[in-house]
Amino acid sequence: MSLNPKIQDWHGLTVWLVGASSGIGRAVAASLHAAGARVIVSARQADLLNDFAAQHPGAQPLPLDVMDAQALQQAVRQIVRNHGRIDLCLYCAGYYQPMRAQQFSLDEAMRHLDINYVGALKLLQALLPQMLLQAHQGQPGHISLVSSVAGYRGLPKSLAYGPSKAALSHLAEALYLDLSPEKIGVSVINPGFVATPLTAQNDFAMPALITAEQAAQEILKGWARGEFEIHFPKRFTLWLKLLRHLGHGLYFRAVRRATGL
């Protein structure tokens, strides 16, 4: 079911990816560039952004830290000044360190929350006035947040990561309810296991592991279909969705069997 305006032609659209120095963000940026979009990539690592721009002529590197609210506001003004509008903004900044209760760290837990959730709030503070202005001018945009199936229910070694992603998914649902009447698209992306520098830390079985490039193609397909929740690979994520409705005993046994933990 299509809940958002479908984005099927990217030529001439201005897209801003926040957290695009590696992994899913970088792969989506490359796919959008190939599809004809004007691509702006942001992250803290300026050298990686410059490398991306060198490999993708016309792409614009815009280094910033998602914890810097002022830098985000300046970035929105700069993009609008250079390109007139923002057609889509993808928040794909993310942080992950495996954590279990036996090695609990408050500092690590707070770092997950800051990057995975609070950074999105700071982006919204900068972005929403521009998106609402565009909508009132007849040029509504789209806001997309990269969450995770780890936000569905508790998973092993996800003591810090999972709750931050659950908050992000909840945020996306509330945003949709508020912004869909304004014709502003809102989507949440819930990947399963994707081979990135973050998941390379895992020492357990990762069912249905896919590449970042495969993930990028699934995301573009989801935007083209106007989906609110874009989840993949479908067989694995649908299995997790089913598990959400099991009683706790059955759920815990199924997850331990699947991961070997």
Side-chain angles (χ1 to χ4, degrees):
M1 179 181 178
S2 176
L3 295 177
N4 285 307
K6 299 177 181 180
I7 311 176
Q8 299 174 335
D9 183 1
W10 293 94
H11 288 88
L13 297 188
T14 298
V15 298
W16 181 27
L17 299 97
V18 180
S21 58
S22 64
I24 293 174
R26 185 182 178 99
V28 173
S31 295
L32 290 173
H33 181 271
R38 292 190 293 261
V39 176
I40 300 102
V41 287
S42 291
R44 290 180 303 165
Q45 301 94 328
D47 55 338
L48 295 179
L49 299 180
N50 291 332
D51 177 68
F52 179 87
Q55 296 179 33
H56 301 84
Q60 176 188 348
L62 188 56
L64 55 80
D65 187 331
V66 296
M67 290 292 97
D68 188 339
Q70 184 176 0
L72 288 164
Q73 291 170 349
Q74 291 173 346
V76 170
R77 289 194 293 267
Q78 180 177 336
I79 295 169
V80 173
R81 184 167 60 248
N82 292 344
H83 303 290
R85 65 185 188 276
I86 299 171
D87 294 295
L88 179 140
C89 181
L90 175 66
Y91 186 80
C92 44
Y95 180 72
Y96 168 64
Q97 286 289 329
M99 183 190 294
R100 305 192 80 168
Q102 293 84 347
Q103 297 84 35
F104 180 77
S105 164
L106 178 60
D107 288 343
E108 277 295 305
M110 294 301 295
R111 181 168 174 78
H112 281 81
L113 194 61
D114 280 345
I115 296 174
N116 296 343
Y117 180 65
V118 176
L121 298 181
K122 293 187 176 185
L123 173 65
L124 290 173
Q125 182 181 26
L127 183 64
L128 281 174
Q130 175 61 31
M131 286 295 195
L132 289 166
L133 176 63
Q134 289 177 197
H136 296 160
Q137 293 173 342
Q139 294 182 317
H142 188 112
I143 300 170
S144 195
L145 307 176
V146 177
S147 186
S148 170
V149 296
Y152 286 170
R153 289 187 72 169
L155 291 174
K157 296 195 175 183
S158 192
L159 191 65
Y161 182 76
S164 68
K165 290 298 188 176
L168 195 64
S169 295
H170 191 120
L171 175 66
E173 292 181 354
L175 279 173
Y176 182 86
L177 290 170
D178 286 347
L179 297 181
S180 58
E182 306 279 354
K183 309 302 181 186
I184 298 172
V186 177
S187 56
V188 62
I189 299 164
N190 286 323
F193 290 112
V194 180
T196 68
L198 295 183
T199 57
Q201 304 171 86
N202 288 336
D203 59 0
F204 55 86
M206 292 185 282
L209 182 70
I210 63 173
T211 67
E213 290 71 25
Q214 289 173 311
Q217 290 307 307
E218 292 297 328
I219 291 169
L220 265 67
K221 289 177 186 176
W223 286 332
R225 291 190 290 257
E227 294 177 350
F228 166 72
E229 184 192 3
I230 303 170
H231 58 95
F232 53 85
K234 287 289 194 280
R235 186 173 182 180
F236 176 65
T237 51
L238 288 172
W239 176 74
L240 281 177
K241 280 177 171 288
L242 176 64
L243 291 184
R244 282 196 295 182
H245 302 291
L246 294 179
H248 288 100
L250 290 174
Y251 173 74
F252 293 148
R253 286 197 293 273
V255 170
R256 283 170 173 156
R257 187 178 301 116
T259 61
L261 295 172

